[in-house]
Amino acid sequence: ISFDDAVVYLEEVFAVDIQYDRDKLKDCRITADFANKPITYILDIISATLNTTYTQKENTFYISGQGCQ
């Protein structure tokens, strides 16, 4: 799925807000199965795969990185 679709899904399932630079990350694609995993585990895997980092402040996650090209 697209990174955008993954973010929408994660926001709905975990009731969190995810902020990111859409222009840089919109073309990234993710293929994975994260059944019964915590959001931090999922974001760790996404960060390792897409070479991004994330920070958390309360219920909001901020993802940054160079994006996919």
Side-chain angles (χ1 to χ4, degrees):
I1 63 174
S2 71
F3 187 80
D4 287 338
D5 289 342
V7 166
V8 169
Y9 176 79
L10 292 171
E11 288 179 325
E12 290 176 3
V13 169
F14 292 99
V16 297
D17 182 36
I18 299 175
Q19 300 292 316
Y20 63 99
D21 186 339
R22 188 173 187 284
D23 289 337
K24 289 184 179 179
L25 296 169
K26 68 180 178 181
D27 294 327
C28 296
R29 310 268 318 154
I30 300 170
T31 303
D33 180 8
F34 295 116
N36 301 316
K37 299 294 185 192
I39 190 161
T40 51
Y41 174 86
I42 296 168
L43 292 177
D44 286 343
I45 298 300
I46 290 172
S47 292
T49 303
L50 301 180
N51 197 27
T52 61
T53 59
Y54 72 91
T55 57
Q56 179 182 2
K57 184 174 183 183
E58 297 177 6
N59 211 31
T60 303
F61 292 87
Y62 301 89
I63 300 173
S64 60
Q66 294 301 314
C68 303
Q69 299 170 13

